[in-house]
Amino acid sequence: MRSMKLAGGSDGLTRRQLLALAGGAAALSALAACTPSTPTTATAAPSAAAASPATTATAAPSAAAASPAKKPGGQAVISLGEPDTLLSTASRALVFSYIRSFISNGMVRLKYPDMIVVPDLADTFTASPDGKTYTFNLHPKVKWQDGGAFSSEDAKFTLEFFCHPQNPAPMTTDFANIVGAKEFKDKLAGDVTGIKISGDKVEISLLAASPTFLTSVAVTTLLPKHILKDVAPADFAKHAFARKPVYTGPFKVDEWKAGESITYSAFADHFRGRPNLDKIVQRIYPDPSAPLADLRTGVLQQGFVTADQYAEFKSNANFATQELAGTLGWFLSWDMTNKTFPFGEKDFRIAMSHAVDRATLASALFKGLAEPSYSLASPLSWVANANAPKYAYDPARSRQLLDGLGWKVGPDGIRVKNGQRLEFATVLTTTTRDWFLAIQPMLQAIGVGTSKVDVVDFGTWVSRLAVGKYEQTMNGWGNFAIDPRADLASHFHSPTKAARGDATGYKNEQVDQLFLQAAKAATRDEEKRLYDQIQNIADGDCVYGYLFRPKVLNVNAKNVRLPQAKIQAEVYDGMPTWEVG
């Protein structure tokens, strides 16, 4: 099973676990931000400092550093789901990645939507010419939300947590790459010798240059040493901190009422300036129909709606709306190891992709509020290859390819080869059922039938999403939750022979070698070139039949002013600049 690395190197998740966490993302229905999704972190795009080691990255104005509000004060009531925890080292929920952006800080952070590394608690950061030493110059006189003084000691404490011998989780590759990390983990040293601090400076030495290291730092929320120093690393998640944490962010957690709400208040001493709002109330709705009614009546001031619900708010002068780029792309997926059906044949997969009329689907299923999708990476990401092969709607080409594979149209329109009908089962969830039923006639039009539409609960679907356990399914993958490079690697890289445990069985030796080369790339340009090649090959192989990206539809009361955003994560990242009045 392919594994993914999580924030700050806490531990690895298998791809199936990632999909399990993506369950709520599959339900991009009313107020979709409320559900668990892919892990909030991994490794991501190299920053300017990573791309050119001798350069310096300097703090740019962040959301929290925006100019003061014209009408400071007030509160906003928003809809988000319930997180699993508010401890950054333990959370596996997408909702926490949104919360994290307005309650905490790292030394550096990822900038949306391009996912490059920019300053946060560090005003500047530099990399040595050989890419093996990073220096972070921290903002002076930063305070924790309990009034305690933040220092470089907190940064060292946090980084060493992930290498600590009492932390049961294995180190990720990037944190194991710090000089002295292995010795510390193996109890051969009292600290990680490669992490040196002096005043407001943190210096980290690596065993080898890594284009992903800086991003691992960017997704690492700093923890208060004065609160957690006497807590065993294995017990962090059990500590009261996990429900009422103390971070350095612009809003602090006041109260978490399970199944009901989380309230936050402005942290007046935030190092980038006090946020505009006095208070945020995050409503938690066990009943998925309840937030829509509350949004209509004004009890709820901000949330996300479906395409069917959007028009009523867009035409209502009491509301403001934003159509954000879809962060979740949907696609058809097949078990390529199946010997009964031609899923392993590239021409078959291309034929299936050409059969889909994406424009019609976007119109019929999403009122036109969806974009055709042709890639796993978001088009907004630095890693996306806009010139990778695309298989647009062309049913005539589909028929030609299937003819070439020897599948001839039978008397009832379904193709047959050697007595075998080209008719197979599709396993779906309640979210994807109606979508697939709209696609089914398009497949029938090229002679591909469906022997069974098997609608199962999400947990069952996840358990069956492995080679040998399904034939065809409709799957979705959310971007901007993890590193865009990890998006690609989790689907196209086959580190184990025969890619056992994968949902498709796809394996391409050239792609695997390109991933290894990209992991050692010295510059951003070199890395981009290699990832472009990976997508040229994998998308040329038509690993998936890409479908669509539904837009994320934001609605807020007119008296709540939000920053303009391109993706959903930016809405919450810009929380300090929200205004009410």
Side-chain angles (χ1 to χ4, degrees), residues 32-377:
C34 66
T35 48
S37 185
T38 43
T40 60
T41 50
T43 54
S47 70
S52 180
T55 64
T56 300
T58 305
S62 65
S67 58
K70 296 178 181 177
K71 295 183 179 180
Q75 74 171 32
V77 182
I78 68 173
S79 174
L80 274 175
E82 189 157 31
D84 50 351
T85 177
L86 293 176
L87 174 65
S88 60
T89 60
S91 179
R92 300 291 183 269
L94 178 59
V95 63
F96 178 74
S97 71
Y98 299 144
I99 296 169
R100 173 183 180 270
S101 70
F102 61 81
I103 66 172
S104 67
N105 298 102
M107 289 197 292
V108 290
R109 64 188 182 92
L110 291 175
K111 175 180 171 291
Y112 299 114
D114 45 11
M115 302 291 276
I116 62 171
V117 178
V118 296
D120 198 3
L121 282 168
D123 287 332
T124 63
F125 58 94
T126 59
S128 61
D130 63 2
K132 294 170 66 175
T133 302
Y134 286 89
T135 302
F136 302 86
N137 297 299
L138 303 176
H139 192 86
K141 299 181 180 178
V142 173
K143 291 183 179 180
W144 292 102
Q145 292 164 343
D146 64 356
F150 166 84
S151 75
S152 56
E153 288 277 358
D154 296 296
K156 183 176 175 66
F157 171 78
T158 302
L159 294 171
E160 288 188 337
F161 163 79
F162 297 109
C163 312
H164 201 284
Q166 294 179 28
N167 186 337
M171 292 186 292
T172 59
T173 302
D174 275 325
F175 281 86
N177 188 31
I178 300 175
V179 172
K182 185 178 184 301
E183 289 78 4
F184 181 54
K185 185 74 171 178
D186 293 342
K187 302 181 181 180
L188 299 176
D191 66 350
V192 179
T193 57
I195 303 172
K196 294 182 172 63
I197 58 175
S198 176
D200 292 324
K201 181 179 293 185
V202 178
E203 183 179 280
I204 305 174
S205 300
L206 306 180
L207 297 169
S210 167
T212 62
F213 175 75
L214 195 57
T215 302
S216 286
V217 177
V219 296
T220 300
T221 295
L222 295 190
L223 301 171
K225 180 178 179 179
H226 68 284
I227 294 176
L228 296 172
K229 64 181 179 179
D230 296 323
V231 181
D235 294 334
F236 275 22
K238 303 173 187 176
H239 193 271
F241 186 95
R243 291 193 65 85
K244 192 174 181 182
V246 173
Y247 292 119
T248 57
F251 288 94
K252 55 186 178 180
V253 177
D254 290 333
E255 185 179 25
W256 179 356
K257 294 181 180 179
E260 183 179 334
S261 66
I262 304 177
T263 57
Y264 311 86
S265 61
F267 178 39
D269 291 329
H270 187 252
F271 71 104
R272 298 288 184 203
R274 184 194 190 280
N276 294 335
L277 297 180
D278 291 332
K279 186 177 181 181
I280 300 166
V281 179
Q282 174 188 332
R283 294 288 300 274
I284 299 165
Y285 291 93
D287 178 359
S289 65
L292 181 61
D294 281 355
L295 192 59
R296 285 170 172 153
T297 60
V299 172
L300 185 64
Q301 294 170 292
Q302 184 272 333
F304 294 88
V305 300
T306 66
D308 288 336
Q309 300 158 353
Y310 187 64
E312 71 167 281
F313 292 100
K314 188 173 182 180
S315 62
N316 190 326
N318 294 320
F319 296 94
T321 58
Q322 289 191 61
E323 297 174 14
L324 307 176
T327 55
L328 187 64
W330 293 91
F331 45 85
L332 293 174
S333 176
W334 308 276
D335 175 3
M336 297 182 192
T337 68
N338 186 296
K339 302 301 181 184
T340 302
F341 300 103
F343 305 140
E345 297 281 353
K346 179 170 74 172
D347 282 352
F348 167 81
R349 300 190 300 272
I350 293 175
M352 294 287 281
S353 190
H354 275 312
V356 179
D357 185 349
R358 295 164 183 81
T360 294
L361 292 175
S363 176
L365 299 176
F366 305 103
K367 309 292 186 183
L369 296 169
E371 299 292 340
S373 179
Y374 297 99
S375 66
L376 194 73

Side-chain angles (χ1 to χ4, degrees), residues 14-24 36-38 458-459 461-462:
T14 64
R15 186 165 180 271
R16 180 174 297 176
Q17 288 170 312
L18 281 173
L19 289 163
L21 291 164
S37 185
T38 43
F458 184 77
W461 176 77
V462 169

